[in-house]
Amino acid sequence: MLTKPKSEQRRSMMTHLNSRLQGFIKLTGNFIANPFLPPLKYPLSSSRLGLDFSPHSTSLASLLHSISFSNNGDHPLSRYQKVTSLDDAFNLFDEMIQRKPLPSVMIKFNQLLNAVTKLNHFSSCLHLFKQMYAIGVPVDKYSMNIAIKCCCQMSRTYDGFALLGCCFRRAVVPDVFTFSTLLDGLIREDRIIEAERLFKRLIKHRLCEPNVVTYNTMIKGLCKFGNNDIAIGLLRLMDERGCKPDIYAYSTIIDSLCKDKMIEDAFKLFNEMVFAKGIQPDVITYTSLIHGLCNLCRWNEVSKLLKEMEEDVRISPDIQTLSILVDAFCKEGRVDEAEAVIDIMVERGEVPNIVTYNSLIDGYCLRGEMTKARSIFYSLTSKGLVPNVVTYSTLVNGYCKSLKIEEAMHMFHEITRKGLKPDIVSYSTMLQGLFRVARCGDARKLFDEMRAAGQIPNEYTYGVILDGLCNNHQVEEALSLFHLVGESKLNYNIVVYNILIEGASKCGKLDTAKTLFHDLTLKGLQPDVRTFNIMISGLCREGQLKEAKLLFLKMDESGCPPDTVTYNVLLQGYLRNKHFDDVEMLLHEMDGRSYSLDASSLSLLIDQIAAGSLDRRMIELIGRLVPKEMMNIPA
């Protein structure tokens, strides 16, 4: 059988390749021609990147990357290993383009681009990439991949897809690295739905076989948005398609499950990884599990896991692990134990960083020990640490909670005096403090300053302002702001509605509260247990007990069963309005659900029994509903 000449084989291969790529262009046109993506501010084209392409052959790409440098007898990487700054890179580039002939076609330029990328100078790397074209340096998939990576790292994934289009036009074959990079870019920009679509097309149309990096990129993105079930499904798909999941894939999902307080599922996956797959956990895996247990205050299990980690697996907790313990202890007010962990860090040669000390400062702030918190703050410089915005915001929060607003304002202004920029958390914390002491005018002024500084209010800031206005009996102004925001996503938030419903209810505007409650259905929002509790409390306050009872009965039907707060709220409404018929029934229901009485309910019950309004035989039932901690309070 006669063999076709190599040139003909190459043409045949390129024809086949172009056919597949053209098919992909039609399928992924929504990325390149963007029919379903939001319109671009600027036209999407290679010219926007400053590139003027002309066809170059890329068939020797792999061979060229195996060629060593010949000019001046340099070791292949020696010049590029010395690139430690942008000036080095530009100087080397200028030297390269002045050589006659140009250095080894693409190799040296690609290595230079790669070196600049490693310095995280992505914009400069793209600039050099454009200069390459200006002098006629041919391009291959390696240089294209570097340029696409730079676009994605700068959250310019649209430009990354423009470069992908250039690959198609030039018959440069995008590989698994190209698509993994684009997936990562979409995920960085929170475009997870588009990332899922692209990933599915890669598999369906066999454009490339996803490797472990591709799968891990998608798993990271899915977990970022709390799609743990789909991430686990992708883990199973990896196995089915012969791509062995690694420690990163498992640890990413375990961490996400822990953050969502699904600790049992996390340990189940952990056991699968260790015992079924034979993958040994690392410090990151253990740290995620420890963090999850700390968030649930399961301290005994934290101790056991630390012991297993150090004694059985021989993995030492790192600074991240120990900082998580410090933070967890501080959040529980156990600052002495947090200090002990920091001492252990120092003994082990681990240097506590600013994150660790921020947690410790926060712990003392939560306890109201501002003198101690300030003392640690002033000691940071002697430890070689520089306070950051989080440090200052933590102290601002502590002073605000202690109602020391002048000290809080001084610390807030210290942020800019130190050359730092207050973030949205800093502003929100200060706003909350001002509202707390009824300085609404100063809060409005600060809000205007925040917007002038380019800080856009997020959902939390918006909630702080509405809550502050409502708590200061300025419900009308809060409602005006709510209506001004209109159909923004800020108003599609149950927390916002809860604030307004409670504010209106407490200010005697029950009809307004009812209107807001009914608006939830129109907006497709589901009331949560707090929404029901607020409404029931408002109805009871106005003596509308029949309506309160109907809403209480509706909770189970709505898939939102009443909690212990609901029962206490309704019980207090009955007692205060001397509606005793349903009191015993409510108490029996509470007993059946293992709910407890709060101090207000217990006090009202005792008063009504003493007054003869309730049967004394209910005392035994009431006794079962008194929590242990209240029974132990000394007389």
Side-chain angles (χ1 to χ4, degrees), residues 60 71 87 130 179 269 291 448 461 469 479 512 529 620:
L60 297 178
N71 290 352
D87 284 340
K130 288 186 282 185
F179 291 113
L269 199 62
H291 198 181
D448 290 338
T461 317
L469 291 170
L479 288 168
T512 302
V529 69
E620 183 185 346

Side-chain angles (χ1 to χ4, degrees), residues 423-439:
D423 60 11
I424 197 67
V425 176
S426 317
Y427 279 107
S428 300
T429 303
M430 197 65 244
L431 284 167
Q432 192 171 46
L434 290 168
F435 278 121
R436 193 171 281 152
V437 294
R439 287 171 58 172

